[in-house]
Amino acid sequence: MPIADNELAEYFYGNQGRYMRKWSHYFEAYEWHFQRFKGKPLHILEIGCYHGGSLQMWRHYFGPQIHVHGVDIDIRCKQLEEADVSIYIGDQGDDNFLNRLVSQLPPLDIIIDDGGHFMHQQIKSFDVLFPHLKDGGIYVCEDLHTSYWTSHGGGYRKRDTFIEMSKDLIDQLNAWHSKDAESFAVNEQTRHMHSLHFYDSMLVIEKRERTRPVEYESGKRVFDSDPTGQPYTNKV
């Protein structure tokens, strides 16, 4: 069902172009995270071209300054190339292919993983491609329900699934506050993940360079001590 005041949903439900398939609740997340990029020069990578419908949708939504890069394992998808749409054929779970891809691509503004949805593919793609995302960019991994499917290498609470990896990212986002640096330390993900947004079967990661959080104080205290009678300290 179309979502009111949502340009991507409106395009999808009125689509007369190439075939595509999307969960209806994705469009609210797309609109929320993507609208600030509209009309700007962009390089977008979408893993999983299928019949090319979403490649056309991104071009329509973001405007004439966009270049869409598509990845698919199906060689027939080369036929989907057109002006400002480039297609690369390969397996997103293959280190060699992903590293060659990165060497060919400019820094990316948006990455959308809607590919094979197998655990090794989603995890490997994130590991290799997230560093190639621009500061201020967005990484989207879709169809995360396969993390619960044994057919795709998943299972509830099974390690080595994308969902379980993403739970580790929550920890890493907060690593500046660790008091056990030997077992839980700041790393490159901590320094470059600004936020994680979880939706039904989708994770959106906003990339932005970060430094150690700083806490400030303002205003006048009403009390001189905490409820136990201890004088207030400046920091928690």
Side-chain angles (χ1 to χ4, degrees), residues 105-117:
L105 293 174
L108 299 164
D109 299 280
I110 297 173
I111 298 172
I112 302 167
D113 182 354
D114 187 22
H117 310 313

Side-chain angles (χ1 to χ4, degrees), residues 156-167:
Y156 178 59
R157 295 289 173 89
K158 180 179 178 292
R159 294 303 300 174
D160 301 322
T161 66
F162 191 89
I163 282 289
E164 292 303 311
M165 183 210 74
S166 70
K167 293 176 184 177

Side-chain angles (χ1 to χ4, degrees), residues 13-218:
Y13 290 106
N15 179 31
Q16 298 296 313
R18 294 179 180 141
Y19 178 82
M20 59 177 151
R21 183 171 60 193
K22 291 285 184 183
W23 293 99
S24 60
H25 63 275
Y26 281 7
F27 292 105
E28 184 177 1
Y30 288 154
E31 187 73 21
W32 180 262
H33 294 284
F34 290 168
Q35 58 184 327
R36 64 184 170 91
F37 293 96
K38 288 178 65 175
K40 299 179 179 178
L42 296 175
H43 283 275
I44 294 180
L45 173 66
E46 181 170 44
I47 303 173
C49 300
Y50 205 29
H51 292 260
S54 58
L55 302 176
Q56 292 183 326
M57 181 173 69
W58 304 134
R59 290 183 68 204
H60 171 83
Y61 178 75
F62 289 108
Q65 299 189 74
I66 185 179
H67 191 105
V68 182
H69 306 269
V71 167
D72 206 284
I73 201 167
D74 186 347
I75 196 170
R76 296 177 299 174
C77 289
K78 264 292 191 183
Q79 300 173 40
L80 303 175
E81 285 192 322
E82 53 187 318
D84 300 320
V85 176
S86 303
I87 305 296
Y88 306 83
I89 303 300
D91 181 356
Q92 70 173 115
D94 180 356
D95 266 323
N96 292 327
F97 168 71
L98 287 173
N99 286 314
R100 286 197 307 272
L101 179 67
V102 165
S103 71
Q104 294 174 282
L105 293 174
L108 299 164
D109 299 280
I110 297 173
I111 298 172
I112 302 167
D113 182 354
D114 187 22
H117 310 313
F118 285 87
M119 297 304 98
H120 73 284
Q121 293 175 322
Q122 291 177 332
I123 293 171
K124 184 67 66 178
S125 295
F126 175 75
D127 287 344
V128 176
L129 295 174
F130 186 73
H132 199 62
L133 189 65
K134 287 182 185 178
D135 187 60
I138 291 179
Y139 193 101
V140 181
C141 191
E142 300 184 354
D143 292 345
L144 300 187
H145 54 272
T146 59
S147 282
Y148 305 101
W149 293 0
T150 57
S151 61
H152 284 65
Y156 178 59
R157 295 289 173 89
K158 180 179 178 292
R159 294 303 300 174
D160 301 322
T161 66
F162 191 89
I163 282 289
E164 292 303 311
M165 183 210 74
S166 70
K167 293 176 184 177
D168 293 338
L169 294 180
I170 298 172
D171 292 329
Q172 212 56 60
L173 183 70
N174 292 281
W176 289 111
H177 306 286
S178 172
K179 295 186 178 180
D180 182 11
E182 288 189 10
S183 58
F184 180 33
V186 169
N187 65 12
E188 286 304 299
Q189 291 173 341
T190 311
R191 295 185 180 95
H192 292 94
M193 287 190 306
H194 173 262
S195 57
L196 305 167
H197 304 261
F198 286 88
Y199 302 89
D200 181 340
S201 203
M202 175 195 280
L203 172 61
V204 178
I205 304 173
E206 296 194 7
K207 184 175 182 179
R208 193 185 309 170
E209 187 172 358
R210 299 172 61 219
T211 57
R212 180 181 292 278
V214 179
E215 185 180 29
Y216 296 96
E217 297 177 348
S218 67

